[in-house]
Amino acid sequence: MKSKLSLCCKGIVWLAMFGVLLPLIVLLIWCFTERWAWPELVPQVFSLRGLREVLGSQALMILHSSILLSATAALIAVVVGLMTARAIVFYQFPGQKLLLFASMLPLIVPTTVFGMGIHLLLIRVGLSDTVPGVILVHVICALPYTVSIMTDSTRAIGKKLEEQARVLGAGSLRAFWSVSMPALMPAIFSALAMAYITSFSQYFLTLLIGGGNVRTFTVIMVPYLQNGDRTLAAGYTTLFLLITVLVFLVFRKIVQRFYPCLEQNRE
Amino acid sequence: MELQQLVPELEIRDLIVSMHKKEILHKINLTVYKGEMISLLGPSGCGKSTLLKTVAGLLEAQGGDVCIEGSSVLNMPTEKRGAVIVFQDLRLFPNLSVEGNIEFSLRLKGISRSQREQRVRELLEIVKLPGMQKRKINELSGGQMQRVALARALAAQPRLLLLDEPFSSLDEQLREQMRSFVQELHQRTQTTIVMVTHDREEALSMSDRIALMIDGQIVQVDVPEKIYRRPINKRVSDYFGGCSYLSGQVRNGVFYHPALQMPVSGYADGDWVVRILPGMVHLCEDGNWKVTKVCYQGESSLVTLQREDSILTARVMEPPGVGKMCGVRVDAEELLLLKQEPCVHTK
């Protein structure tokens, strides 16, 4: 009975992995395919046209600034999320629940509605068509994820360890940095990853707020996806995925460099 | 142990602490002397841990004052007060090794690495965990974690060491060992210790003095023997339990009860309750007290006797059988009269 259950569980895991990997494999094949008509299982014509066009396009030229913009937005979103989480978990003040609800609004309010509204505001304050304006909008979109992740983890960790550090002679900031931060690192990493991907994949808001002056990888990529060329679309998508995975690995390395206990605790 | 010339280390004056608009501590007054080990004893929820946290600076006071070595600390941040708490759940830092935990306060002071290593080695010797610097916290047993927590607290060189129910999560055998260990540590380091406990035996056996807290107030502060044998009122007596009460009247210097009459001095005429400890009651052959219960407790037994509405408890080596009729003799010199309250029999 146990072995049947184990076999069933393994089967489900393999099925799930297959469900995730199969589309990626198909995507990779399309990068080198010129023609693959239904219902053929194997492409009829292979070529390197897609790769040549992607690697030679202007999308690569703005890659580093795109990554920098999204990384900045992710970092700000995590810092704001962490501070909001600490306020919600450790303090009592009027409007606390409203604050928590408000942090989720970017998920509830349709992007176009939000975009139109904030565009007007940013025009008034002179942040429209600027990089800071785009970063601000990306931060707002990422906040629901960072606030909810950091609130849950802050609540789980509590402030007991910080209290202990305080009585041992650490100031409040030192206590947080020395004992709470290491415990929060896995959650910070998750929040950073979610915020980064939210920012990096933003198209409509970047186009609207950036006004064409702020060009990110996604803004350059989407028109190519929309022109119906599957080879090009696959190439850009694969590049998008690769960049995202690389950035995640860099984040992880940075975290491990300062907090080696992250890996030890997993063991 | 000797109190160092009765120099006050901690003075709490009219301290009031409220939480969620409810007053938890009501005008607490307490003086702890340098080198003393004092227990804050009381039932769960009476405010003992709240008092400890307020002294350490983790909670704000709404009134009164807390002075350490003569200076008020109420406006001083937690990290500067020199009052280190060892919490019930120990709160060892999981991301640091044993060495990292112990040297935490030393690093804050900017002490050099070699000195920190030396001090950690010394402290591990004191707490009888030599060579365990590199061990991870999750590899330690309960007793070992307790000792690392104590070593970490001592490394901070506290003016006051505050122990918040340090042994409640340990099994009986380990608790005995740790009690002896803490007493030994106290004698060796002469640190002023305030220990919160709800365990009466623990407080009686370990402390220089006991401060009994009930419902957010300190009811009596005294040496263990006095607080046990001469409770200031029936509430204190009830907390220690294990005694019997006989309700009667004092008239012209004599206490009258159907089963007991004895001369008393210093008590006004009126209704009084006499408190009788089990050790004061001796059984005789003939009498009209009926044995209703015998509770075996190892070396001795607790025998419950009843006569009409009166109940007495006696501690005897060789208990009679249940249902037997006995006579009773009480050591009158040790008896204590308390003000009349509903007659209760406590276990």
Side-chain angles (χ1 to χ4, degrees):
Chain A
M1 181 67 185
K2 264 189 183 176
S3 60
K4 272 189 185 170
L5 199 64
S6 166
L7 209 63
C8 191
C9 290
K10 279 184 185 169
I12 292 170
V13 170
W14 278 106
L15 208 62
M17 277 175 62
F18 189 65
V20 170
L21 288 174
L22 182 63
L24 289 175
I25 295 166
V26 169
L27 192 71
L28 208 59
I29 296 172
W30 263 110
C31 291
F32 303 95
T33 301
E34 188 59 48
R35 197 166 153 267
W36 191 0
W38 169 264
E40 302 296 320
L41 285 177
V42 175
Q44 287 93 3
V45 182
F46 290 98
S47 89
L48 292 174
R49 177 187 66 90
L51 272 182
R52 273 198 299 268
E53 287 206 32
V54 166
L55 293 174
S57 74
Q58 51 183 321
L60 273 185
M61 287 186 257
I62 45 117
L63 202 54
H64 70 281
S65 58
S66 214
I67 293 170
L68 197 61
L69 189 148
S70 293
T72 307
L75 206 60
I76 295 171
V78 166
V79 169
V80 173
L82 182 58
M83 288 163 64
T84 309
R86 286 181 71 84
I88 288 169
V89 172
F90 295 144
Y91 297 92
Q92 302 283 333
F93 54 88
Q96 194 171 16
K97 287 187 179 161
L98 191 63
L99 176 68
L100 191 58
F101 175 70
S103 69
M104 297 297 141
L105 280 175
L107 285 180
I108 301 166
V109 175
T111 312
T112 42
V113 171
F114 168 66
M116 295 301 173
I118 201 159
H119 195 205
L120 287 170
L121 180 66
L122 291 179
I123 290 170
R124 285 198 194 112
V125 299
L127 283 177
S128 178
D129 300 353
T130 64
V131 169
V134 170
I135 290 175
L136 177 64
V137 165
H138 284 194
V139 166
I140 293 170
C141 290
L143 276 180
Y145 304 103
T146 59
V147 168
S148 68
I149 291 171
M150 296 316 307
T151 303
D152 285 345
S153 56
T154 302
R155 193 170 278 132
I157 287 160
K159 58 189 219 182
K160 288 184 175 183
L161 292 180
E162 276 184 49
E163 283 181 346
Q164 183 66 74
R166 296 287 309 277
V167 298
L168 287 170
S172 48
L173 201 60
R174 182 74 186 257
F176 168 74
W177 190 258
S178 303
V179 297
S180 288
M181 272 289 274
L184 285 170
M185 262 304 146
I188 288 174
F189 178 71
S190 300
L192 212 54
M194 281 302 299
Y196 175 84
I197 197 71
T198 304
S199 168
F200 199 67
S201 55
Q202 277 295 333
Y203 170 68
F204 172 72
L205 285 173
T206 311
L207 199 60
L208 183 69
I209 307 302
N213 287 345
V214 180
R215 299 161 81 210
T216 62
F217 181 82
T218 310
V219 166
I220 301 293
M221 178 182 79
V222 166
Y224 288 102
L225 299 181
Q226 287 173 336
N227 73 3
D229 189 332
R230 283 192 184 183
T231 308
L232 275 183
Y236 278 110
T237 311
T238 307
L239 186 59
F240 184 95
L241 279 172
L242 272 171
I243 292 160
T244 310
V245 168
L246 271 167
V247 170
F248 284 179
L249 286 173
V250 167
F251 280 160
R252 193 172 171 80
K253 279 292 170 197
I254 293 170
V255 163
Q256 278 175 357
R257 166 74 177 83
F258 289 102
Y259 294 98
C261 59
L262 182 69
E263 277 305 302
Q264 288 167 11
N265 284 344
R266 281 172 185 254
E267 288 163 21
Chain B
M1 55 107 16
E2 288 179 20
L3 300 178
Q4 296 175 25
Q5 299 175 342
L6 291 182
V7 173
E9 181 74 52
L10 169 69
E11 289 170 277
I12 302 171
R13 296 181 200 130
D14 293 332
L15 188 70
I16 298 172
V17 175
S18 300
M19 284 166 69
H20 306 299
K21 295 178 186 171
K22 188 184 165 196
E23 198 170 280
I24 307 291
L25 300 180
H26 319 296
K27 288 203 170 185
I28 299 281
N29 284 281
L30 180 67
T31 302
V32 181
Y33 300 101
K34 208 172 180 63
E36 180 178 28
M37 180 155 172
I38 188 168
S39 287
L40 273 179
L41 177 67
S44 299
C46 71
K48 310 183 295 293
S49 298
T50 304
L51 179 57
L52 230 58
K53 286 183 180 177
T54 309
V55 167
L58 296 174
L59 292 174
E60 270 185 38
Q62 278 65 48
D65 201 5
V66 175
C67 296
I68 298 177
E69 290 182 352
S71 309
S72 175
V73 298
L74 275 191
N75 294 323
M76 208 183 275
T78 306
E79 60 272 17
K80 294 208 182 341
R81 293 192 185 194
V84 177
I85 303 184
V86 177
F87 289 97
Q88 185 180 350
D89 51 1
L90 303 181
R91 302 187 188 183
L92 293 173
F93 306 133
N95 56 309
L96 300 174
S97 63
V98 166
E99 182 177 26
N101 268 272
I102 296 173
E103 69 172 8
F104 184 83
S105 55
L106 302 174
R107 286 179 87 116
L108 294 171
K109 291 173 185 171
I111 292 172
S112 70
R113 187 173 177 170
S114 56
Q115 283 181 307
R116 290 201 311 261
E117 282 174 0
Q118 164 74 9
R119 185 69 185 132
V120 167
R121 247 193 318 272
E122 284 168 8
L123 285 166
L124 284 174
E125 289 290 339
I126 290 173
V127 300
K128 296 175 186 165
L129 292 174
M132 294 191 74
Q133 286 91 325
K134 302 300 175 197
R135 294 279 281 273
K136 291 178 194 165
I137 297 305
N138 58 9
E139 294 172 5
L140 303 178
S141 69
Q144 289 173 332
M145 284 201 268
Q146 192 94 51
R147 281 179 275 170
V148 170
L150 284 166
R152 181 178 64 177
L154 290 174
Q157 291 183 305
R159 296 192 283 183
L160 275 174
L161 182 59
L162 310 172
L163 306 179
D164 191 357
E165 301 205 38
F167 316 120
S168 58
S169 58
L170 304 177
D171 61 67
E172 188 63 40
Q173 198 178 3
L174 198 52
R175 209 181 299 171
E176 285 291 329
Q177 287 174 15
M178 288 307 302
R179 282 181 198 166
S180 307
F181 175 73
V182 168
Q183 279 180 298
E184 204 183 296
L185 201 66
H186 176 233
Q187 277 162 19
R188 187 171 170 168
T189 61
Q190 292 291 296
T191 311
T192 309
I193 298 178
V194 180
M195 184 175 73
V196 159
T197 181
H198 60 263
D199 189 317
R200 295 170 289 217
E201 280 79 30
E202 201 166 273
L204 288 168
S205 62
M206 291 181 70
S207 323
D208 295 317
R209 285 192 303 154
I210 298 173
L212 184 69
M213 268 186 85
I214 297 175
D215 292 338
Q217 287 177 313
I218 290 185
V219 181
Q220 187 174 355
V221 185
D222 218 325
V223 296
E225 192 178 349
K226 273 196 183 160
I227 208 172
Y228 181 72
R229 292 194 170 276
R230 294 278 168 217
I232 204 169
N233 59 32
K234 199 165 174 299
R235 288 191 88 185
V236 176
S237 174
D238 283 343
Y239 185 79
F240 283 97
C243 54
S244 316
Y245 300 99
L246 294 178
S247 299
Q249 284 189 329
V250 169
R251 289 196 298 272
N252 299 320
V254 179
F255 175 80
Y256 290 98
H257 180 273
L260 178 71
Q261 286 174 26
M262 61 177 192
V264 293
S265 62
Y267 295 99
D269 287 359
D271 294 329
W272 289 88
V273 169
V274 69
R275 175 188 181 247
I276 304 170
L277 294 173
M280 298 173 187
V281 179
H282 307 280
L283 301 186
C284 313
E285 273 298 322
D286 297 315
N288 45 12
W289 288 85
K290 186 179 176 184
V291 177
T292 56
K293 189 177 166 187
V294 175
C295 192
Y296 178 71
Q297 293 186 335
E299 288 211 4
S300 63
S301 297
L302 220 53
V303 176
T304 306
L305 305 126
Q306 187 164 2
R307 173 184 153 172
E308 290 169 13
D309 290 333
S310 306
I311 297 174
L312 280 180
T313 311
R315 186 172 294 284
V316 298
M317 302 298 280
E318 291 173 9
V322 173
K324 190 175 174 188
M325 301 302 290
C326 297
V328 157
R329 181 175 54 81
V330 176
D331 293 335
E333 309 84 45
E334 298 273 357
L335 293 178
L336 178 71
L337 265 65
L338 301 167
K339 232 11 191 145
Q340 176 74 22
E341 282 183 49
C343 188
V344 291
H345 173 69
T346 57
K347 286 188 182 174

